[in-house]
Amino acid sequence: MSVESINSYDELPYLFNAMPYTQPHRIAAIAQLFGMNPPAPETARILELGCASGGNILATAYTFPKSRCVGVELSARQVAVAQQAIKELDLKNLVINQINIMDFDANAGQFDYIIAHGVYSWVSPTVREKILQICQQHLSPMGVAYISYNTKPGWNMRGTIRDMMLYHTQNIKDPLERVAQMRALWKFLADATQTGQDSYSLFLNEEFKFFANSEESYLFHDFLEEENNPIYFHEFVTQAAAYQLNYLGDAHLHTMLASNFPPEIAQTLELFKDDLVHQEQYMDFLRNRHFRHSLLCHQQVPLKRAISAERVTNLSVVSSLAEVQSTEIPQGKKCFINQSGNLVTDSPIVIAALTYLLEQLPRAVPFVELVEQTQTRLPANITADKEAIFNHIADIILQAYTKGLIELQVGALPFVLQAGNKPTVSALARWRVAHGLKLNNLRFENLNLEHPVVGALLPYLDGTRDRNALVTILEGKIADKSLQLNVKQAGQEIQIAPEQLKELLMQALEESLKALAKSALLIA
Ligand SMILES: C[S@@+](CC[C@H](N)C(=O)[O-])C[C@H]1O[C@@H](n2cnc3c(N)ncnc32)[C@H](O)[C@@H]1O
């Protein structure tokens, strides 16, 4: 979008979500792995350029109350929403300025993290240059900038779809009508080519399926915006270098590693091991990559590209890897799995460590605590000194992280795993639900907690009520029929006797509180 057509976001605001990988506690972990010593996110100055209604920066400011956050956004309608949130949540550490990035205040000072998510390839070359200039001039010496953009070669192919959609909707003004027409044409094309086995038919149908459930706003701003200028990764790195900014790494670090390709491909990629940018460009060719989230630092920052296991020992670990039973697992080994892949091991140390991490999920466990807890959980017949455990866990955590199986972060996030006497859900999450937005947790993830009791309770979990008061509220909801409690016995629904109701509601309350805690939504 050019500066002139910026009002497209006033007509149809962008999605109001937080993005986990734009968050400074994760970015800081990657910077540390590459030998930097970035400022602590908890007290950092953080800038978001093109922050829309503040989905990201509101979450950052709420999560790190001692940070000082600034958002910049041109669309008045979106800024008004963000301002309302700041006021209603009483956030003292966030300011959102309704200005053009081009007019960024030269006296705004230094920022430790500068975030521009979904902006760079959707603006004119002049605004792109300005974004890099802001990073050059306003990033603190050990600061990190995050810039995401549509990339090629993936968008060369996707651009074909965009061209057709722009042509088809050229005479329609209303954004929602344009998206409706876009969906209609896409469906027509996909249906017409459904049985085709040629590459064009397969491509159209695969993309149609991929975007079928995307929201209107996303489709409009990605496919129908006037400006959508995907660039090759190597072009981005060259553009950044013109502003003395160096490519630090990808916000999804595992995508940088040749070792994550099959061995014969990795071997060829290793030929370029001395030229990271070249190597990653070929990875994009292999993956037909569409989207990148690149991290930048100042050129003079010394980086240590070979990541040593020792560097994970200052970080905290989140792992959802859970043991699975299967006859395919080799004898004597155990397999831990999550949606990103699996890890097979016969090491009692690794088994104990992964089991502890799973118990603590969604909490990030500091490395030192992980070592201590692993030591206490080892089977009696295993003798290993603390140093051996320390080194072994460091190796496996680094391996799992570089495969994209677990997360690393700096510091802790402010949620609890057990509800206190007066259970409290994050005020931001309650605010979002009250305003009809998706539930977003304190790990910046969108959630779908479609549980009737959780839904009924959420507005009341503000830290002013104990369990009895909460059960009384649930009783009221049952009485006025706004909540139904379906209890089944042997698959059949049964009538609940009035004297049983309180006890059942107390059980339902405890279950709901556990679900909220496991979803990183409880702060007390
Ligand atoms: C695709 S949205 C991304 C929003 C947000 N960063 C996120 O991830 O949800 C791009 C945003 O950048 C804003 N934007 C684009 N050009 C701008 C400019 N020149 N000055 C200020 N904001 C701009 C748009 O108004 C829009 O809200």
Side-chain angles (χ1 to χ4, degrees), residues 1 3 6 9 14-15 17 19 48-53 55-56 72-75 78 99-102 116-119 122-123 127 221:
M1 125 223 40
V3 170
I6 189 72
Y9 285 89
Y14 198 61
L15 312 176
N17 293 330
M19 304 285 161
E48 182 170 6
L49 298 170
C51 65
S53 306
N56 264 327
V72 166
E73 171 57 52
L74 193 50
S75 147
Q78 296 185 120
I99 51 162
N100 194 318
I101 289 169
M102 294 304 295
H117 181 64
V119 185
W122 293 264
V123 289
V127 182
H221 293 296

Side-chain angles (χ1 to χ4, degrees), residues 48 229 311 426 475:
E48 182 170 6
N229 309 302
R311 281 189 226 139
S426 131
E475 280 176 321

Side-chain angles (χ1 to χ4, degrees), residues 64 68 174 178 221 319 359 367 402 449 466:
F64 303 116
R68 287 145 299 148
D174 178 56
R178 290 185 75 193
H221 293 296
S319 166
E359 276 168 34
F367 185 82
T402 52
L449 270 187
D466 63 13

Side-chain angles (χ1 to χ4, degrees), residues 445-510:
E445 300 157 331
N446 284 321
L447 300 177
N448 229 345
L449 270 187
E450 278 176 3
H451 186 292
V453 178
V454 171
L457 275 173
L458 210 70
Y460 304 97
L461 295 172
D462 59 2
T464 61
R465 297 172 180 85
D466 63 13
R467 283 167 170 72
N468 286 329
L470 291 167
V471 166
T472 305
I473 286 172
L474 291 177
E475 280 176 321
K477 289 190 176 289
I478 298 270
D480 70 16
K481 299 205 182 334
S482 59
L483 176 68
Q484 276 190 333
L485 204 59
N486 299 326
V487 181
K488 289 189 176 168
Q489 212 168 48
Q492 297 290 318
E493 235 167 75
I494 55 164
Q495 284 294 320
I496 306 163
E499 61 278 11
Q500 277 184 306
L501 185 62
K502 211 176 189 79
E503 194 188 322
L504 285 172
L505 286 176
M506 193 53 94
Q507 273 173 25
L509 171 65
E510 286 307 335

